[in-house]
Amino acid sequence: MDFFRRIMYMLLLLLECVCIIGVDTTGQTPLNSEDKATSRNVAIIGAGSAGASTAYYLRKFSDLAGVPVNITVFEREAYIGGRSTTVNVFDDPSLPIELGASIFVSVNYNLMDTAKELGLKISGAGGDRPAESVNMLGIWDGFRFLYLQGHSLSWWDMAKLLWQYGLAPIRTQRLMKNTVNKFLQMYKPPYFPFSSLSATVQALDLHEATGVPGAQFLESNGISESFSNDIIQSSTRVNYGQNLGLIHGLEAMVCMATDGAVAIEDGNWRIFSGMLDSSRADLRLNTTVTAIKQNSDRSMTLFHSSNGGSTSRHTFDEVVLAGPFQYSNIEVSPSLDRSPEKIPYVRLFVTLFSSPHQLSPEFFDLSDQKDVPEMILTTLPRGFNLGDREDGVGPAKFWSISLLRIVEASAEDSRQKHYVYKVFSPEKLTAGFLASVLAVEIPASDQNGTIGDISRNDISWYHEKTWHSYPYEYPRMEFEEIRLASNVWYTGGIESFISTMETSSLMGMNVAGLMTNEWHDKLHLGKPVSWSGWTQQRNNEL
């Protein structure tokens, strides 16, 4: 019974497609070093999951090693969290909803551990949904629902799942656990901290999953095509905007590891904000790093400007590039020893909106309002194979539509409540699509317009965002180097391996560990850190 409950829970909660240095009179040398002979001055570019985690664990590890560290974090945006950020319905701060990464799960050790350490409020994912519909989840192929799941998890629901898909759910659960357990070895010695992601993937036999498309990986492990298409592919689409013919097998398994899905009240970005506070870093928001000059003494001079302001420069001992290098627009001179390759990223359109109307049953060929699922994931019709095409959305035309919550109408609004929805799609939603899905009338001339062309009586609030959200997870066995040059570190290579808030945090922690090791081994600073001891202490705290 517990196994089947985990399977159902997995289906309902699929993841989705982040010290102080002053300025001297020359503007080049970091001030406030505790001891110039022993302290290290570190610049981290990016305040998302990877950057915040690098700062957080660098503070922990440097304290263990006894090496004074001054940390400066540069972030070109005005907020912390990267792709983990919230917006407010009706611009009301009491109604925040996630715009990016919405949930994390029990095996996300860094996020779970840090949230508890910081005393953040953790709540079950999806708890705000109103449960007005008979069906919590539906998987739609653009023509019909292939799978529907109610709110209850009765023995009859479990029997229907096995009747429809045979032993595939059980086999998938076993395969997912086996694969994820291999990945979890990366958090502890002898693998942690790892100097080469490619070598570690090989050592853990994870290349068997990353080296082939998800469809091939599942087939070779005895997972039926119908279950893969209906359940697993709907998960890879909502999480990564990619079908099983494109995405590699490991990422497909990650999509199914949804046990214990939770979120931080008021926004998951609070984890990363708390990390930066704990790191005692000098945080510089609205600050863009434009260039890095590698100096003959192995130090780096960073050129940066407050957005719209004049350029300043400061010199650091170490620099961490904590984001996709191809989108940083940073000039490095002389050139890096190893420049990350440019890889294609998914362009994801996120549309949040509120409406007094519910989703139309007629749009989904249903007869009753109560039959419309609160979470609609999409997949391809069976036998409709798009292979490894990047434009793989198929007849459904969108990746997912989710009802997030109900909010109260303003005092002057005669309607009692408004439904708040989130839509993931590969293209910007048209007014015609939204009018159809809500069954509202708009002029024919507005059909190809935008959400803003729809009356506020029908869509009372909206917010649109376009993300370069994650890479196309093509099968591969080689991944980007972690060190790009002497004292230049890179976290972004893990995105082609697994792209989540947690794995970005893992790479940030890993870079902090490598840096601490090198300080002792090559510079003879501080004392060595016992990674087995630190891991054991962490496990005891967890």
Side-chain angles (χ1 to χ4, degrees):
M1 177 70 75
D2 288 342
F3 164 73
F4 289 114
R5 290 185 182 277
R6 286 197 300 272
I7 283 287
M8 292 300 180
Y9 188 64
M10 171 181 69
L11 299 179
L12 298 181
L13 293 171
L14 293 173
L15 295 174
E16 95 30 3
C17 332
V18 262
C19 106
I20 297 181
I21 295 180
V23 180
D24 71 356
T25 55
T26 66
Q28 292 193 46
T29 306
L31 300 181
N32 297 341
S33 297
E34 299 175 41
D35 180 347
K36 289 185 179 180
T38 60
S39 66
R40 301 296 287 175
N41 297 297
V42 180
I44 300 170
I45 303 172
S49 175
S53 297
T54 304
Y56 177 71
Y57 289 105
L58 188 59
R59 177 61 61 193
K60 285 180 175 288
F61 298 160
S62 65
D63 287 348
L64 289 173
V67 179
V69 176
N70 301 310
I71 304 170
T72 302
V73 177
F74 297 93
E75 171 55 58
R76 62 187 173 191
E77 302 293 345
Y79 61 87
I80 294 167
R83 286 165 285 182
S84 176
T85 185
T86 56
V87 295
N88 302 320
V89 182
F90 299 141
D91 299 322
D92 183 343
S94 69
L95 300 174
I97 53 176
E98 294 284 358
L99 180 59
S102 299
I103 64 173
F104 54 100
V105 296
S106 58
V107 294
N108 291 165
Y109 291 158
N110 284 6
L111 300 186
M112 292 292 288
D113 187 23
T114 305
K116 292 174 183 177
E117 182 177 315
L118 297 174
L120 300 175
K121 293 182 179 179
I122 304 173
S123 59
D128 290 332
R129 291 195 182 94
E132 292 184 347
S133 171
V134 172
N135 297 308
M136 173 63 178
L137 171 71
I139 296 174
W140 192 59
D141 70 0
F143 302 104
R144 65 189 182 98
F145 281 100
L146 301 175
Y147 181 84
L148 291 168
Q149 171 63 52
H151 297 275
S152 64
L153 300 177
S154 68
W155 67 268
W156 180 242
D157 294 317
M158 300 170 191
K160 286 192 298 182
L161 184 71
L162 290 179
W163 177 261
Q164 186 169 350
Y165 296 112
L167 295 177
I170 299 172
R171 289 172 178 163
T172 300
Q173 181 79 350
R174 289 175 180 167
L175 181 60
M176 178 274 292
K177 285 190 172 182
N178 179 59
T179 307
V180 170
N181 284 338
K182 290 180 181 179
F183 159 73
L184 293 176
Q185 299 303 305
M186 296 173 69
Y187 287 79
K188 56 189 179 182
Y191 302 102
F192 180 85
F194 47 90
S195 58
S196 168
L197 178 57
S198 299
T200 304
V201 169
Q202 290 279 340
L204 290 169
D205 291 331
L206 287 169
H207 63 287
E208 296 175 357
T210 65
V212 296
Q216 181 180 332
F217 182 71
L218 294 167
E219 181 182 8
S220 66
N221 283 279
I223 311 301
S224 67
E225 185 177 352
S226 60
F227 188 77
S228 296
N229 179 82
D230 298 359
I231 306 301
I232 303 177
Q233 185 161 262
S234 66
S235 178
T236 64
R237 285 162 64 93
V238 69
N239 282 301
Y240 295 106
Q242 296 163 61
N243 294 320
L244 286 172
L246 185 158
I247 197 169
H248 62 62
L250 178 61
E251 200 73 281
M253 287 294 94
V254 167
C255 290
M256 302 307 290
T258 57
D259 282 355
V262 296
I264 300 300
E265 291 188 20
D266 298 330
N268 293 326
W269 63 270
R270 293 186 178 278
I271 295 178
F272 311 120
S273 178
M275 282 180 163
L276 289 172
D277 287 343
S278 295
S279 75
R280 305 195 301 278
D282 175 10
L283 174 62
R284 303 191 178 191
L285 298 176
N286 287 308
T287 302
T288 299
V289 175
T290 57
I292 301 172
K293 179 178 179 293
Q294 301 183 77
N295 304 314
S296 58
D297 63 354
R298 297 180 56 183
S299 66
M300 266 77 59
T301 300
L302 267 64
F303 297 81
H304 57 88
S305 62
S306 297
N307 293 349
S310 59
T311 298
S312 302
R313 56 180 175 166
H314 293 88
T315 300
F316 298 88
D317 299 308
E318 318 263 356
V319 172
V320 181
L321 300 169
F325 184 67
Q326 66 195 61
Y327 295 122
S328 68
N329 297 317
I330 296 174
E331 250 184 65
V332 183
S333 62
S335 298
L336 294 166
D337 298 341
R338 292 169 289 276
S339 292
E341 64 176 303
K342 288 187 177 181
I343 57 176
Y345 268 66
V346 173
R347 188 173 68 158
L348 179 71
F349 289 82
V350 182
T351 308
L352 302 170
F353 68 91
S354 62
S355 174
H357 310 295
Q358 295 175 271
L359 298 182
S360 164
E362 290 81 10
F363 183 89
F364 297 101
D365 199 24
L366 297 172
S367 58
D368 191 274
Q369 182 68 64
K370 289 189 175 296
D371 292 330
V372 180
E374 294 186 344
M375 178 188 293
I376 299 173
L377 310 183
T378 68
T379 189
L380 298 174
R382 293 176 188 172
F384 192 93
N385 187 355
L386 293 179
D388 63 357
R389 284 173 51 175
E390 293 176 2
D391 58 338
V393 69
K397 301 296 174 67
F398 64 91
W399 304 120
S400 66
I401 298 179
S402 299
L403 173 60
L404 302 182
R405 64 192 300 180
I406 292 176
V407 296
E408 294 297 323
S410 59
E412 60 271 16
D413 195 326
S414 60
R415 296 160 297 188
Q416 293 297 309
K417 56 189 180 183
H418 293 245
Y419 298 86
V420 180
Y421 293 96
K422 176 190 280 189
V423 185
F424 291 157
S425 59
E427 302 290 343
K428 188 180 182 74
L429 298 183
T430 66
F433 170 83
L434 289 162
S436 296
V437 83
L438 294 172
V440 299
E441 296 289 334
I442 63 171
S445 58
D446 288 341
Q447 287 290 319
N448 293 321
T450 67
I451 190 171
D453 295 321
I454 298 177
S455 167
R456 285 300 180 98
N457 291 324
D458 295 315
I459 290 184
S460 49
W461 169 87
Y462 68 90
H463 184 94
E464 297 175 295
K465 175 68 177 182
T466 306
W467 294 109
H468 285 110
S469 46
Y470 22 72
Y472 285 102
E473 301 284 357
Y474 282 110
R476 60 189 296 167
M477 297 189 190
E478 298 293 326
F479 300 89
E480 297 296 340
E481 297 291 339
I482 299 170
R483 185 199 293 273
L484 302 182
S486 177
N487 296 344
V488 179
W489 307 87
Y490 186 50
T491 65
I494 204 165
E495 294 243 300
S496 294
F497 172 62
I498 302 174
S499 181
T500 63
M501 292 187 291
E502 175 67 16
T503 47
S504 290
S505 178
L506 169 62
M507 186 55 91
M509 180 176 75
N510 186 67
V511 165
L514 291 173
M515 208 181 297
T516 308
N517 275 354
E518 183 163 285
W519 293 343
H520 175 266
D521 296 343
K522 293 187 177 180
L523 302 179
H524 309 295
L525 299 177
K527 58 186 178 182
V529 175
S530 169
W531 298 117
S532 57
W534 179 77
T535 302
Q536 184 60 51
Q537 179 182 350
R538 174 186 168 115
N539 290 342
N540 292 339
E541 292 171 352
L542 282 171

